[in-house]
Amino acid sequence: MTLNLTATRPSFVTHLECSLTGERYEADRFHGLSRVGRPLLVRYNLDAIRAAVPRAMVTARPTDLWRWRELLPVRSPDHIVSLGEIETPLVPIPASGGARVMVKDEGRLPTGSFKARGLVMAVSMAKALGVTKIAMPTNGNAGAALAAYATRCGIETVVLCPDDTPDINVREIALQGARVYRVNGLIDDCGAIVARGAAEGRWFDFSTLKEPYRIEGKKTMGLELVAQFGWELPEAIFYPTGGGTGLIGMWKAFAELEALGWIGPKRPKMFAVQASGCAPIVKAFDDGVEHAERWEGAHTIASGIRVPRAVGDFLILRAVRESGGIAMAVDDDAIEAAVVECAAKDGLLLCPEGGATLAAYRAALDRGLVSDSDRVVLFNCATGLKYPMADQSTPLDRHGEIDLATL
């Protein structure tokens, strides 16, 4: 199924490109994967942007996601489906992390996660291209973002999630207008059902990296970081990696900014963080290969990174290797401990995936992969308020004797 778009104004988008072969595809059409089954990347006329848009112009704009509009694929403001996508803050965590460690807190975005970045872009392009029905597999937060944005512009949505997806995620997806189904399997099992329906022409498949625009929204994480660091970059980034769209997107953003002359060639070490119960990218990295085998028996409390197979595996691995970083896995116990310590010592409530990045940073510090003098950014990909928390309260009987000195 392919749709046409009549441009409403000039755009800097030139074409789409297969991430594996470099084959070109026409812009202004809704494509899925390339002919060889790999993600498509949006390409821009960067020379024209450099001539037309000085860096100072971008610096002077309001600091929301749409500040970067020349480097985004949506042609007309009329096609933007927005719920208020702010620039997320960098929050220092000196007690639990260190003096130069900051958390980019993506839980401040609409629907409470960084999935809003990718889905606002993908849904806005779907609106522009006349898409009327979308389906997606999800571990929770992506489905919530899709439901919210698609409902806002009248696109019908079907969301399939593993049957052990956190209940709050399932409920918010349904409340925001999607038809949601629990599937007795993992996210790639859900994706297989979505793919069958797409092949029959029933809907567009919005699985991670199976359409080209979600990555363009996710790359704004990298664009924001550069601006927040004064048009430089930190020494290291720890990113919770399931499908890896954000890591791939940030690496793309850095290359585009260098081509514009807005930053130099320096890059941060990129650490792809997975859970030890589901670490296909880590195994592929350690084995020195470009493609990861499916991880069997995937399990972790960090459901957002419980992705047994990623279609963009080779892009994740290339970015990590080119940066001088590594892919690393952490145990669930370490994830839980990191979440507790960050909340108790620094007052910042991380989601489990965010806790994984803090646990990975500590492990990398112990191994000498980073130093305590490095500027380090950890990504907290969703608000911790969506996840179960232990009850540590103590009952107090107002009718009995209360020793206030002990409270």
Side-chain angles (χ1 to χ4, degrees):
M1 192 188 307
T2 303
L3 299 170
N4 289 304
L5 171 67
T6 300
T8 55
R9 64 176 175 81
S11 170
F12 293 103
V13 175
T14 57
H15 63 282
L16 307 181
E17 180 181 292
C18 175
S19 55
L20 184 64
T21 67
E23 181 183 9
R24 290 172 65 110
Y25 290 74
E26 186 179 349
D28 303 327
R29 293 176 178 270
F30 213 106
H31 300 278
L33 296 174
S34 72
R35 271 183 273 273
V36 296
R38 294 298 173 180
L40 293 175
L41 302 175
V42 181
R43 296 304 186 192
Y44 301 84
N45 185 338
L46 297 173
D47 290 336
I49 295 175
R50 185 169 59 247
V53 185
R55 192 177 76 178
M57 180 187 296
V58 174
T59 301
R61 291 173 178 166
T63 56
D64 61 11
L65 181 147
W66 301 102
R67 173 191 207 180
W68 307 98
R69 50 190 170 269
E70 287 85 5
L71 283 167
L72 299 175
V74 182
R75 291 188 184 277
S76 170
D78 293 339
H79 294 143
I80 293 173
V81 184
S82 178
L83 288 166
E85 298 73 37
I86 65 166
E87 178 181 277
T88 58
L90 289 168
V91 182
I93 51 167
S96 60
R100 292 169 70 80
V101 178
M102 289 170 283
V103 171
K104 190 148 175 63
D105 190 10
E106 297 286 285
R108 316 292 179 95
L109 286 162
T111 71
S113 86
F114 66 177
K115 300 295 185 180
R117 292 184 187 273
L119 272 302
V120 69
M121 205 63 56
V123 171
S124 293
M125 287 303 297
K127 177 186 176 183
L129 294 163
V131 172
T132 59
K133 189 173 182 179
I134 293 168
M136 172 194 282
T138 185
N139 278 318
N141 285 318
L146 173 65
Y149 286 109
T151 294
R152 191 167 180 86
C153 67
I155 295 176
E156 184 181 358
T157 53
V158 176
V159 176
L160 278 62
C161 57
D163 54 9
D164 62 350
T165 298
D167 193 54
I168 190 169
N169 293 133
V170 178
R171 292 179 183 228
E172 68 176 320
I173 293 167
L175 190 61
Q176 291 175 137
R179 295 199 303 281
V180 59
Y181 300 90
R182 293 182 185 265
V183 177
N184 55 341
L186 296 173
I187 190 169
D188 57 344
D189 298 309
C190 298
I193 299 170
V194 171
R196 289 210 309 268
E200 294 175 8
R202 299 180 182 278
W203 49 57
F204 273 97
D205 185 345
F206 262 44
S207 301
T208 301
L209 292 177
K210 287 192 177 180
E211 56 77 41
Y213 301 111
R214 202 194 308 189
I215 193 171
E216 295 304 294
K218 282 290 194 74
K219 84 179 181 187
T220 60
M221 293 187 294
L223 300 174
E224 284 183 13
L225 270 184
V226 169
Q228 288 173 311
F229 275 86
W231 303 99
E232 295 182 352
L233 280 163
E235 279 68 53
I237 291 172
F238 286 76
Y239 187 81
T241 305
T245 314
L247 192 151
I248 297 165
M250 284 191 284
W251 201 244
K252 182 175 186 285
F254 301 154
E256 290 172 350
L257 290 174
E258 183 181 1
L260 291 173
W262 293 3
I263 64 170
K266 176 190 170 186
R267 297 288 186 273
K269 291 181 180 178
M270 306 294 285
F271 289 83
V273 179
Q274 299 200 295
S276 56
C278 183
I281 298 299
V282 176
K283 184 177 187 305
F285 180 87
D286 291 343
D287 291 346
V289 298
E290 264 209 312
H291 297 286
E293 296 179 0
R294 186 180 192 273
W295 189 274
E296 300 300 331
H299 65 280
T300 173
I301 60 170
S303 59
I305 53 176
R306 191 183 61 180
V307 178
R309 176 185 286 138
V311 69
D313 53 2
F314 67 105
L315 295 172
I316 299 167
L317 289 160
R318 284 179 188 176
V320 169
R321 288 176 174 134
E322 287 172 11
S323 75
I326 69 167
M328 58 191 305
V330 290
D331 294 335
D332 279 4
D333 287 347
I335 292 172
E336 287 186 301
V339 170
V340 170
E341 188 172 351
C342 189
K345 292 185 176 180
D346 283 304
L348 182 62
L349 188 58
L350 303 175
C351 64
E353 297 80 10
T357 67
L358 177 54
Y361 166 70
R362 290 170 173 168
L365 191 62
D366 289 343
R367 292 168 58 181
L369 301 172
V370 291
S371 76
D372 55 13
S373 63
D374 288 336
R375 296 171 300 171
V376 174
V377 173
L378 315 178
F379 271 85
N380 183 48
C381 57
T383 173
L385 295 170
K386 289 191 178 191
Y387 299 85
M389 290 172 258
D391 182 3
Q392 300 184 54
S393 64
T394 302
L396 187 65
D397 181 5
R398 66 185 178 88
H399 299 295
E401 291 293 325
I402 299 175
D403 184 355
L404 298 179
T406 66
L407 299 185

